[in-house]
Amino acid sequence: MIREIELINFKSHKKTKLKFTEGNNIFVGISGSGKSTILDAICFGFFGTTPKIQKKRIKISDLIMDKPFKEESANVKIIFESDKKNYEINRSIYLNKSSYAELRENGKLIAINQAQVTEAIEKILKVDYELFSKVIYAEQNKLDYFLTLPPGNRMSDIDNLLKLSKFELARAKTTSLLNKFKNQKNMREETLSNFDERDLKEKRREIEEYLEKLNKDLSSLEENTRKLNNQLEEKEKILEDLKEQKNKMENKKNMLIELNATISVFQNELKKLPEKDLGEIEKKLKHEETLYNDLEKEKIKREKEISFLISKINELEKALAEKKEGELFLQTFDEERIRILKKEEEDLKNTLVTCELKKQNLDEAIKNLKTSKERCPTCDRELPEEKRKELIKKKEEKLFLLNKKIIDLKNKYSSKKREFELENKNIEKANFFKKRIEQLGNVEGELSLYQKKLEEIKCKEIDLSDIKKEVMNLNTLFEELKSAEIKK
Ligand SMILES: Nc1ncnc2c1ncn2[C@@H]1O[C@H](COP(=O)(O)OP(=O)(O)O)[C@@H](O)[C@H]1O
Ligand SMILES: [Mg+2]
């Protein structure tokens, strides 16, 4: 029984939800209000199609609402009950993608996609679209379907629709099967009546006895097999042990062969060994070792000496360089020039003093001439005004020249003095070098002496490698002989 149906965007239904109750349910409405559409939706919900679609009068997409606005999708939901189970169908169609369908039984998803859902519904309702559309849901104006069938075919068409022809076929097959069984039953009854029961019982007893005997034989055979299996297991264990022992024996045999080979190698080597006195070799070895040690000590001593000589030579080379530097300085140092400078400085100083005196005299004479009237201040002769003025003028000219000379002299004197002081410093340096050269003495001689000594020592360098080799040879010989002695 259908409990509920919901249509969304399905033809003229924007969103319609209808609940059905027990008994008859009737849709009432004016023409075009959507009553037939509800039946279409039920048919579409169950079987994914409608009579108009089947007859190709419309396409599935025409089911989607296109007025007043074109919608993208439509959905039909049917909730129904069958065999005390609740089912819910949902089918959706879309304008531009493939449609979707699902079926749930008591909430659990049991089919997905249009074909699966239709197949499941056909099983649940035991009705297919053909029967549903002809017998249960009569399309508008098609209630007269049965009347339109041609009278001659009417029976068989209705049988086909209701699948009644299957029952007719089954009935015919059952009759023929029944006859077959009846025949068989008769045949068996006849066979049975020919049997001698006592004879059969005797035979059965014999067979049972024989069977019992066979069972007994079987169990004794089984017992034997078990015993034999145990024995086999034991023997296999022994075989395993024997194999292991064989392996061990073979290993030992191989070891023995190897040992024999080693022994013969050693014996050959023993034959080859020189027959020398071990004591003698040892003595020689000791002697060579002491020789080697002494030489090594000597070598170390010489190395120390060499390093001492090298440091001494370095020292002397430094001193020589210092001496050469001093000598070079003294070569360019000019004592005479300093003396001349001193003299020039003194001369300049004396001239300057004389000039200063002259200046003082001139100053005084001019002052006197300016104060005296009519008489000469030096000779006291008559001095006319004209003459006096001339004298003053002459003296003043002289004083001017003298002043110029004094300035010039002062400049010359101070530059000379500076020159002299500079040169004077070199005197100290020269004295230092003189003293140092005296101290250093014959550095060249000493240096060449040490260099000669170093050359001599280097010429006599000790080569320890030969004697070391000799000691090593003796040592190996000694070891070989000793081990040979032990082997013997
Ligand atoms: N895809 C559609 N979108 C919108 N309206 C539609 C669509 N297909 C059909 N219709 C309209 O649905 C109405 C049909 O309703 P119908 O179920 O036949 O009414 P009733 O059976 O109550 O007379 C018509 O008015 C028709 O124009
Ligand atoms: Mg109608």
Side-chain angles (χ1 to χ4, degrees):
M1 179 195 163
I2 299 175
R3 288 274 173 217
E4 192 181 306
I5 170 163
E6 187 183 73
L7 317 181
I8 294 169
N9 293 335
F10 193 86
K11 289 175 87 172
S12 57
H13 291 266
K14 180 75 193 157
K15 186 168 169 57
T16 302
K17 196 173 188 173
L18 299 167
K19 291 195 173 184
F20 301 106
T21 49
E22 302 279 341
N24 295 319
N25 292 268
I26 297 167
F27 305 130
V28 182
I30 57 163
S31 176
S33 60
K35 306 179 291 292
S36 301
T37 303
I38 291 165
L39 296 176
D40 279 344
I42 291 171
C43 181
F44 176 76
F46 280 140
F47 300 102
T49 186
T50 66
K52 275 192 183 130
I53 293 169
Q54 285 303 99
K55 285 171 196 147
K56 302 225 158 56
R57 290 223 292 269
I58 60 166
K59 298 190 294 293
I60 278 208
S61 59
D62 293 331
L63 299 176
I64 301 172
M65 174 179 268
D66 59 8
K67 287 184 286 201
F69 301 107
K70 203 164 185 69
E71 299 295 336
E72 291 289 311
S73 64
N75 187 76
V76 173
K77 175 155 104 186
I78 300 177
I79 296 173
F80 69 98
E81 218 180 270
S82 176
D83 281 341
K84 301 220 169 86
K85 283 178 192 150
N86 291 316
Y87 293 93
E88 181 181 321
I89 309 170
N90 264 293
R91 286 194 200 251
S92 301
I93 40 184
Y94 302 93
L95 266 190
N96 37 27
K97 63 177 181 180
S98 44
S99 56
Y100 173 77
E102 61 169 52
L103 172 64
R104 287 174 192 275
E105 183 183 273
N106 292 332
K108 200 176 132 219
L109 192 66
I110 59 166
I112 202 156
N113 88 40
Q114 305 287 358
Q116 268 186 35
V117 171
T118 307
E119 202 184 326
I121 288 296
E122 281 172 355
K123 277 191 190 136
I124 293 162
L125 301 180
K126 297 173 194 80
V127 167
D128 60 9
Y129 168 75
E130 211 53 36
L131 187 61
F132 181 84
S133 60
K134 298 288 182 328
V135 180
I136 298 168
Y137 162 48
E139 212 185 339
Q140 190 158 308
N141 307 328
K142 290 282 162 54
L143 278 169
D144 55 352
Y145 169 75
F146 292 103
L147 301 178
T148 58
L149 291 175
N153 295 348
R154 201 169 284 161
M155 267 308 273
S156 67
D157 278 354
I158 290 173
D159 278 3
N160 278 340
L161 196 61
L162 298 175
K163 309 238 167 14
L164 294 179
S165 49
K166 279 184 187 168
F167 292 105
E168 181 49 38
L169 200 70
R171 196 186 55 77
K173 277 191 177 162
T174 316
T175 314
S176 93
L177 264 177
L178 192 66
N179 289 336
K180 223 168 151 186
F181 283 135
K182 270 181 185 162
N183 281 343
Q184 275 183 12
K185 189 190 162 215
N186 289 340
M187 265 158 67
R188 292 211 176 142
E189 272 172 359
E190 206 180 302
T191 326
L192 271 175
S193 64
N194 292 336
F195 271 126
D196 180 352
E197 203 180 339
R198 222 184 305 151
D199 188 37
L200 267 177
K201 270 186 182 159
E202 182 57 27
K203 268 186 187 158
R204 184 188 163 144
R205 205 185 44 75
E206 274 171 22
I207 287 171
E208 274 173 355
E209 264 171 25
Y210 182 61
L211 196 65
E212 208 172 307
K213 196 179 153 281
L214 276 179
N215 271 334
K216 261 185 204 156
D217 285 356
L218 185 67
S219 59
S220 90
L221 275 174
E222 273 174 352
E223 177 67 10
N224 271 345
T225 316
R226 207 177 44 74
K227 275 182 192 160
L228 281 171
N229 270 339
N230 283 347
Q231 278 177 15
L232 185 68
E233 237 168 65
E234 274 168 29
K235 298 274 184 252
E236 271 174 351
K237 247 185 225 158
I238 291 168
L239 185 68
E240 210 51 44
D241 281 357
L242 282 172
K243 270 185 189 162
E244 209 174 291
Q245 275 178 23
K246 193 185 157 200
N247 276 346
K248 276 183 190 165
M249 287 297 283
E250 254 158 26
N251 280 346
K252 279 185 182 152
K253 207 169 125 192
N254 286 340
M255 268 163 73
L256 195 62
I257 291 166
E258 267 173 39
L259 276 173
N260 275 335
T262 320
I263 287 169
S264 68
V265 168
F266 274 127
Q267 275 169 350
N268 281 341
E269 267 178 32
L270 270 179
K271 267 181 218 156
K272 271 190 256 159
L273 278 175
E275 291 287 327
K276 274 194 185 167
D277 184 9
L278 195 62
E280 200 185 297
I281 300 274
E282 197 177 0
K283 227 196 251 164
K284 203 173 167 195
L285 179 64
K286 284 257 166 67
H287 172 70
E288 290 284 335
E289 269 175 352
T290 359
L291 204 65
Y292 175 77
N293 287 340
D294 289 351
L295 278 175
E296 203 176 38
K297 266 183 215 151
E298 183 64 20
K299 195 180 175 168
I300 290 166
K301 209 174 115 197
R302 270 168 201 232
E303 273 162 3
K304 264 188 201 156
E305 218 169 312
I306 287 172
S307 74
F308 166 74
L309 282 174
I310 287 172
S311 74
K312 193 72 196 174
I313 285 169
N314 282 342
E315 227 172 75
L316 284 169
E317 275 171 351
K318 257 188 226 153
L320 187 61
E322 204 185 334
K323 193 179 170 185
K324 282 201 173 137
E325 192 197 349
E327 278 170 354
L328 201 73
F329 179 80
L330 287 175
Q331 261 172 32
T332 51
F333 178 68
D334 189 355
E335 224 167 338
E336 181 58 17
R337 195 177 118 74
I338 295 171
R339 211 181 48 72
I340 291 167
L341 274 176
K342 179 80 187 156
K343 171 100 187 23
E344 281 172 352
E345 188 214 325
E346 272 167 10
D347 285 353
L348 277 169
K349 200 176 175 184
N350 287 338
T351 322
L352 193 60
V353 171
T354 319
C355 284
E356 296 273 11
L357 268 175
K358 272 186 191 166
K359 188 192 160 195
Q360 268 178 23
N361 288 340
L362 264 176
D363 274 343
E364 203 154 324
I366 290 168
K367 210 170 105 191
N368 286 339
L369 269 175
K370 276 182 179 170
T371 51
S372 70
K373 297 262 158 105
E374 286 149 22
R375 296 229 158 251
C376 169
T378 29
C379 59
D380 201 32
R381 262 187 283 172
E382 228 180 275
L383 190 65
E385 185 62 19
E386 210 65 8
K387 187 85 176 164
R388 192 177 70 100
K389 276 184 181 163
E390 200 188 308
L391 270 175
I392 289 173
K393 199 185 164 203
K394 267 186 186 167
K395 287 210 188 285
E396 273 176 345
E397 273 168 5
K398 242 185 174 174
L399 184 65
F400 175 75
L401 288 174
L402 192 62
N403 269 334
K404 238 172 112 184
K405 198 180 172 185
I406 285 171
I407 290 165
D408 187 40
L409 276 171
K410 270 185 181 165
N411 283 339
K412 273 186 184 156
Y413 173 68
S414 66
S415 88
K416 197 50 84 179
K417 202 177 167 189
R418 237 179 288 133
E419 210 180 325
F420 171 72
E421 274 166 4
L422 219 69
E423 281 297 322
N424 215 23
K425 268 186 200 151
N426 280 339
I427 296 178
E428 279 169 33
K429 204 171 168 185
N431 285 337
F432 167 77
F433 275 132
K434 272 182 200 160
K435 226 164 122 192
R436 189 77 187 117
I437 289 167
E438 210 180 293
Q439 267 176 6
L440 290 170
N442 186 12
V443 185
E444 296 92 331
E446 248 183 291
L447 183 62
S448 70
L449 200 77
Y450 277 107
Q451 277 168 340
K452 225 162 141 193
K453 270 191 194 170
L454 184 65
E455 277 319 302
E456 274 169 20
I457 282 187
K458 274 189 176 166
C459 275
K460 278 192 261 159
E461 205 172 3
I462 297 168
D463 187 6
L464 284 175
S465 62
D466 280 347
I467 185 156
K468 196 171 181 178
K469 235 184 253 166
E470 180 64 21
V471 171
M472 266 154 69
N473 285 344
L474 276 170
N475 215 353
T476 26
L477 186 64
F478 178 68
E479 288 301 326
E480 270 174 17
L481 282 171
K482 221 162 100 180
S483 69
E485 191 96 330
I486 290 162
K487 277 180 205 160
K488 269 184 187 168

